[in-house]
């Protein structure tokens, strides 16, 4: 049962104004519009909750995370129904994403039970050391305080209300205030109901989690500028993320802003692989490029290959594969409009030629393919800017030297991919130092859509892929964003935190 209200410190709170959702199909609903006053109430409650929540044992926090997962699963049918209505995503996609969301929560429960993430260190006292004695020093990671999380438009579950940012922050011992995305407020509310039920079942302070719906720019700005917020997790556009990042940096007490801002995820198709299996690579690229209407931050939008007959064969095969993909509903009207604007920008750029065009309107997206020479790519930095949707750009380079130049010209990426055979190893080895400097994840003979949630995953990269190249928003290492090291010198055993005693 939807309330259309905010969840603030265990209470469902209405606002003076409302906004109406814009579902892809089905009935629209009214939701309260968040205000800076709602933000302040939620953050004050989060600060009050921090003292008890941060002191909670790892075992109890793990149970809390598992309880959230169970409550989300218990609402599975309801989540799928409202999620498909709001976003236009198919039921199978929503059910898979729900599994990923609950899987993340359970993964973090197991992760904090082990305790390795605390990175405890101990340098014992050396009272007889000359010329000066050494004190007894211990170190451990401690939670930083209340965290703000911004829900993503393209993942209504895995990167939103109880997604990876929220799960990792709660696992670290940090209360969370979520700014829900207005593209799927009903989905966000049902997930918030699950979290609220888990808080009550575990007997925790109600300020551990709050959800604020809707609101204009002032809500997001007041959240990141609130003096009690200690860090921000964000998944979204480069423009919106950069604006919030700048606000965090200009605060009287600057705080870290962990923004994942998108990527073109270039693929480099090396000569022997292209000659041996160009058609198969084209088919694989088509599937990855158009999956979910291309609405993935890891969508491989750029293919770089050396010009020649094999290149033309790949292009012909890609065109044939992509041409079979029909219209797909995009997440919002605004995203669909931005996709069309990006298409028009690419199509009107000097040197760009159309490979496959189509007709898309309103909230539907159809795929497009374009090609450009390496010279024209290098002459126009704007060709490396993301188009969020199923649009692919093929870059034909003269030779391997120009392929290397293309790689060096890239801005920071979430992923870079090598398609190679054993005979391409020398070329691949020459590219690797560039690609690992440009991206957080480097793949061989695969496609980057589909981010595994595991210990070794990095979902981040140099700016503008993300605002902090040392962080990841997926995988267990993401918990490090909400922790800071504290040293304890000559501290009595009874005063040490759990994990050092």
């Amino acid at each position: 049962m939807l309330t259309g209200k905010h969840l603030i410190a265990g209470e469902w709170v209405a606002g003076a104004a409302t906004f109406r959702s814009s579902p892809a199909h089905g009935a629209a609903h009214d939701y309260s519009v968040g205000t800076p006053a709602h933000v302040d109430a939620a953050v004050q409650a989060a600060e009050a909750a921090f003292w008890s929540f941060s002191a909670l044992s790892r075992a109890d926090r793990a149970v809390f995370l598992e309880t959230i997962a169970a409550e989300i699963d218990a609402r599975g049918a309801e989540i799928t129904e409202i999620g498909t209505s709001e976003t236009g995503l198919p039921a199978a996609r929503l059910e898979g994403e729900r599994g990923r969301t609950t899987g993340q929560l359970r993964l973090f429960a197991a992760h904090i039970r082990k305790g390795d993430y605390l990175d405890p260190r101990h340098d014992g006292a050396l009272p007889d050391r000359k010329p000066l004695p050494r004190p007894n020093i211990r170190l451990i990671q401690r939670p930083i305080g209340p965290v703000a999380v911004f829900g993503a438009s393209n993942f209504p579950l895995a990167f939103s209300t109880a997604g990876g940012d929220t799960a990792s922050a709660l696992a670290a011992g940090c209360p969370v205030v979520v700014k829900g995305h207005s593209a799927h407020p009903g989905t966000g509310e049902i997930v918030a109901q699950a979290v609220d039920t888990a808080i009550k079942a575990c007997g925790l302070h109600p300020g551990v989690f709050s959800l604020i719906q809707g609101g204009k720019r002032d809500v997001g700005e007041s959240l990141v500028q609130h003096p009690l917020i200690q860090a921000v997790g964000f998944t979204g556009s480069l423009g919106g993320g950069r604006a919030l990042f700048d606000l965090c940096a200009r605060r009287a007490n600057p705080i870290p802003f962990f923004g994942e801002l998108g990527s073109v995820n270039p693929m480099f198709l090396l000569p022997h692989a292209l000659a041996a299996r160009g058609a198969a690579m084209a088919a694989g690229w088509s599937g990855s490029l158009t999956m979910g209407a291309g609405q993935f931050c890891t969508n491989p939008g750029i293919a770089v290959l050396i010009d020649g007959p094999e290149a033309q064969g790949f292009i012909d095969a890609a065109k044939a594969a992509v041409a079979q993909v029909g219209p797909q509903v995009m997440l919002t009207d605004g995203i669909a409009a931005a996709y069309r604007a990006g298409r028009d920008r690419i199509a009107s750029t000097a040197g760009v030629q159309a490979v496959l065009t189509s007709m898309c309107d309103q909230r539907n997206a159809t795929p497009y393919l374009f090609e450009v020479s390496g010279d024209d790519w290098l002459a126009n930095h704007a060709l490396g800017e993301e188009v969020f949707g199923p649009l692919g750009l093929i870059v034909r380079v003269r030779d391997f030297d120009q392929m290397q130049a293309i790689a060096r010209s890239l801005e920071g990426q979430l992923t870079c991919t090598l398609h190679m055979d054993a005979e391409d190893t020398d070329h691949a080895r020459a590219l690797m130092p560039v690609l690992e400097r440009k991206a957080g994840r480097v793949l061989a003979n695969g496609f980057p859509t589909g981010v595994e949630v595991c210990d070794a995953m990095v979902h981040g990269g140099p700016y503008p892929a993300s605002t902090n190249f040392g962080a990841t928003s997926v995988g267990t290492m993401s918990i490090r964003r909400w922790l800071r090291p504290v040293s304890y010198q000559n501290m009595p055993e009874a005063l040490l935190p759990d994990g050092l005693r």
Side-chain angles (χ1 to χ4, degrees):
M1 181 72 69
L2 293 173
T3 70
K5 299 177 181 180
H6 316 287
L7 174 64
I8 300 177
E11 300 293 334
W12 293 97
V13 179
T18 61
F19 71 98
R20 174 151 286 204
S21 63
S22 294
H25 57 80
H29 299 276
D30 291 327
Y31 296 88
S32 294
V33 175
T35 66
H38 291 129
V39 168
D40 183 61
V43 177
Q44 294 285 355
E47 175 70 8
F50 176 72
W51 306 109
S52 59
F53 188 59
S54 63
L56 201 65
S57 72
R58 300 196 310 275
D60 286 342
R61 281 209 307 278
V63 170
F64 173 47
L65 295 172
E66 290 165 342
T67 305
I68 296 173
E71 291 295 338
I72 290 173
D73 280 338
R75 294 162 174 79
E78 191 178 0
I79 289 171
T80 299
E81 181 180 3
I82 189 70
T84 55
S85 171
E86 289 182 324
T87 66
L89 295 172
R93 156 70 192 274
L94 266 295
E95 289 163 2
E97 190 181 332
R98 176 167 55 85
R100 172 174 170 168
T101 304
T102 56
Q104 287 175 156
L105 289 158
R106 294 183 173 108
L107 177 65
F108 277 110
H111 186 61
I112 62 175
R113 279 194 178 100
K114 289 187 294 185
D116 297 345
Y117 76 100
L118 294 171
D119 192 19
R121 305 183 184 200
H122 181 207
D123 291 295
L126 297 174
D128 298 326
R129 190 182 67 174
K130 304 297 182 184
L132 294 172
R134 184 175 76 185
N136 186 54
I137 301 176
R138 297 174 185 265
L139 177 146
I140 200 168
Q141 303 291 327
R142 299 295 292 153
I144 58 174
V147 167
V149 170
F150 285 75
S153 63
N154 59 334
F155 280 88
L157 297 171
F159 280 86
S160 289
T161 307
D165 288 346
T166 298
S168 56
L170 293 175
C174 297
V176 174
V177 178
V178 174
K179 167 66 172 66
H181 200 288
S182 57
H184 42 77
T187 308
E189 183 185 323
I190 296 171
V191 174
Q193 291 174 9
V195 180
D196 184 45
T197 300
I199 289 172
K200 291 179 170 62
C202 295
L204 303 182
H205 190 294
V208 162
F209 174 89
S210 293
L211 170 69
I212 299 171
Q213 299 274 32
K216 297 182 180 178
R217 182 177 297 178
D218 60 342
V219 174
E221 291 178 351
S222 64
L223 184 55
V224 303
Q225 290 183 304
H226 198 290
L228 296 176
I229 289 293
Q230 298 302 304
V232 179
F234 174 89
T235 301
S237 68
L238 175 60
R242 182 54 196 253
L244 294 174
F245 172 84
D246 290 344
L247 287 175
C248 288
R250 290 201 299 265
R251 284 176 37 148
N253 58 325
I255 59 172
F257 179 87
F258 298 102
E260 189 267 279
L261 308 179
S263 178
V264 295
N265 305 294
M267 306 185 309
F268 294 85
L269 283 59
L270 298 184
H272 288 279
L274 186 62
R277 47 194 172 85
M281 290 191 293
W285 184 41
S286 170
S288 184
L289 181 71
T290 61
M291 181 189 300
Q295 297 171 115
F296 292 92
C297 47
T298 53
N299 191 38
I302 307 292
V304 185
L305 69 177
I306 297 173
D307 202 5
E310 292 84 3
Q312 188 59 52
F314 172 86
I315 293 170
D316 292 342
K319 177 180 179 179
V322 172
Q324 298 178 39
V325 179
Q328 299 178 75
V329 178
M330 299 199 86
L331 291 158
T332 70
D333 294 326
I335 289 174
Y339 173 61
R340 292 192 294 271
R343 170 205 63 189
D344 294 343
R345 172 177 62 81
I346 296 294
S348 62
T349 300
V352 172
Q353 299 179 9
V355 174
L356 174 72
T357 60
S358 52
M359 292 292 293
C360 64
D361 58 9
Q362 298 179 339
R363 198 160 161 171
N364 292 319
T366 50
Y368 289 81
L369 288 181
F370 298 95
E371 66 173 86
V372 68
S373 71
D375 290 336
D376 286 325
W377 167 282
L378 292 169
N380 193 333
H381 179 269
L383 289 173
E385 296 175 2
E386 181 184 27
V387 177
F388 193 64
L391 183 147
L393 179 61
I394 300 160
V395 184
R396 294 194 194 223
V397 299
R398 291 191 307 272
D399 50 28
F400 182 70
D401 287 343
Q402 191 169 59
M403 181 177 280
Q404 286 184 301
I406 296 289
R408 292 191 185 101
S409 75
L410 293 169
E411 292 190 317
Q413 304 291 326
L414 294 171
T415 74
C416 288
T417 300
L418 287 169
H419 287 277
M420 57 175 289
D421 283 351
E423 296 85 353
D424 294 310
T425 298
D426 288 343
H427 281 156
R429 186 179 292 115
L431 279 171
M432 279 298 292
V434 181
L435 302 189
E436 67 185 15
R437 187 177 181 187
K438 296 292 183 177
R441 178 163 56 114
V442 184
L443 298 81
N445 297 327
F447 298 93
T449 42
V451 183
E452 185 68 27
V453 182
C454 61
D455 292 331
M457 178 53 64
V458 171
H459 188 61
Y463 185 84
S466 59
T467 55
N468 190 308
F469 60 79
T472 175
S473 61
V474 177
T476 55
M477 199 175 73
S478 64
I479 197 173
R480 296 185 183 181
R481 297 172 296 169
W482 325 119
L483 300 164
R484 66 181 182 88
V486 178
S487 287
Y488 301 85
Q489 184 167 323
N490 292 334
M491 192 63 60
E493 182 88 4
L495 298 183
L496 291 173
D498 180 30
L500 279 183
R501 296 193 194 107

